[in-house]
Amino acid sequence: MSRAYSQLELIQMLRLPPTTVKRWLTYYSLFMPIVKKGDSVMYRYEALNLLKRIETLRKERYHLGTIVRILIEEGFPLYHENDSEAGRLYPNPGGSGESSGNPASVISLRNEGFKRDLVGSLEKLSLQIKELAELLEKYEE
């Protein structure tokens, strides 16, 4: 079993601003394998690799939607929102539940659960973007 890290430990290891890491943990939550310990949410080792990849992509000036596409193409697994604790992946067309390394097999886009979770995540993201836009408007005034 791999070690799980708290949000604070991830922030310290990545040496990034806390708000950046917290935002990424929210934006890319479908990619984050978590472990719950009581009321605490811990992130499995795979989350550290994912955050490092996101950092690289952001430095290359990619936007959120493009990063999500790249992560899927690179074979990063997607977890059910309610089942990431158990590490349950979205099923691939082969039905094994594990990634075969082939980006097309990581996830079946016909999977209704995936579509529902993706729409929910995108709705949350759009609300956060609207909030940020409102803050920027207030700041410019």
Side-chain angles (χ1 to χ4, degrees):
M1 187 166 151
S2 65
R3 175 152 165 21
Y5 300 95
S6 69
Q7 195 176 83
L8 180 61
E9 289 174 313
L10 288 176
I11 291 166
Q12 291 170 343
M13 287 187 283
L14 293 167
R15 295 189 177 119
L16 291 169
T19 55
T20 299
V21 175
K22 289 176 184 179
R23 188 174 47 242
W24 290 352
L25 290 172
T26 301
Y27 288 175
Y28 304 100
S29 62
L30 283 176
F31 292 96
M32 294 295 167
I34 62 169
V35 176
K36 290 189 178 180
K37 292 187 177 182
D39 289 339
S40 300
V41 174
M42 305 293 282
Y43 297 89
R44 293 193 348 221
Y45 179 77
E46 294 88 345
L48 184 61
N49 292 331
L50 174 65
L51 291 167
K52 287 179 182 178
R53 182 62 180 136
I54 292 169
E55 178 185 15
T56 301
L57 293 169
R58 286 298 298 141
K59 284 181 180 176
E60 293 173 8
R61 317 270 305 149
Y62 286 106
H63 294 285
L64 176 77
T66 307
I67 292 174
V68 168
R69 182 182 51 78
I70 290 170
L71 294 176
I72 291 171
E73 288 174 356
E74 290 180 352
F76 281 92
L78 292 166
Y79 296 89
H80 287 278
E81 188 171 327
N82 297 328
D83 295 324
S84 61
E85 180 178 354
R88 196 169 110 200
L89 300 170
Y90 279 100
N92 66 28
S96 69
E98 295 296 324
S99 170
S100 66
N102 177 359
S105 70
V106 172
I107 187 165
S108 170
L109 292 178
R110 289 175 275 221
N111 182 309
E112 289 302 315
F114 167 73
K115 288 179 184 177
R116 245 188 331 273
D117 288 348
L118 184 58
V119 167
S121 292
L122 291 173
E123 286 173 349
K124 288 178 196 174
L125 180 60
S126 70
L127 290 174
Q128 290 174 338
I129 290 171
K130 287 177 185 175
E131 289 173 11
L132 287 172
E134 289 172 4
L135 286 173
L136 286 172
E137 287 176 7
K138 288 179 184 177
Y139 179 76
E140 289 177 354
E141 291 176 354

